[in-house]
Amino acid sequence: MSKAVATYLGAALVWLAATGASATCARDHVDLRGPWGQARFSVEIADTPDSRATGLMHRAEMPARSGMLFVYDRPQRVAFWMKNTLIPLDMIFVGADGVVSRIHENAVPGDLTSIFGGDQVFVVLEVNAGIVESYGISVGSEMRHEVFSPEIAKWSC
């Protein structure tokens, strides 16, 4: 391969990574982007009443760049607590348009205090505490996942 072709291919790969064009949507991944950059997390899906009620309870650890995506049938008022949860978490609340509407950082393990997420929450991403701060994830960031309708989502699959 010539040096020119290698340089072109390298530049194309950098562009693909920067634009997210190389990342396809998958049920077990969620993408976030904003002025801070872009990140991808492996996720477990909690989309039934039982799986949402159990969430990440009783787990001693969670791998880095992993999380749980709580998916609701429709946007609604949600609140969480940390009963039987052993690891500190950051919670990212997202509307049906895929835009982050609220963030709660460093939820305390075992705390029974209600953590209000909002009135029009469609999904909630729970990740290890400190992730929001380390990436700079903020309200207004956009999420991409196959559960979002392409007609509504700001960043669709």
Side-chain angles (χ1 to χ4, degrees), residues 33-119:
R33 72 177 180 188
W36 48 270
Q38 187 171 319
R40 172 170 266 209
F41 297 93
S42 296
V43 293
E44 293 178 54
I45 304 295
D47 60 358
T48 66
D50 286 342
S51 64
R52 287 191 298 263
T54 303
L56 291 169
M57 289 181 177
H58 308 292
R59 298 191 190 190
E61 61 184 27
M62 183 167 51
R65 298 182 63 98
S66 294
M68 181 167 279
L69 187 67
F70 295 77
V71 180
Y72 296 91
D73 296 330
R74 58 178 172 67
Q76 59 192 276
R77 181 182 193 105
V78 302
F80 281 61
W81 64 354
M82 295 291 286
K83 182 178 181 178
N84 297 320
T85 305
L86 307 175
I87 54 177
L89 298 170
D90 288 345
M91 299 176 186
I92 302 168
F93 300 91
V94 183
D97 60 358
V99 176
V100 174
S101 57
R102 186 171 188 287
I103 294 173
H104 182 89
E105 295 182 60
N106 296 306
V108 178
D111 188 0
L112 300 182
T113 305
S114 182
I115 300 167
F116 180 63
D119 290 322

Side-chain angles (χ1 to χ4, degrees), residues 113-127:
T113 305
S114 182
I115 300 167
F116 180 63
D119 290 322
Q120 292 295 310
V121 176
F122 181 55
V123 303
V124 180
L125 176 62
E126 288 186 341
V127 293

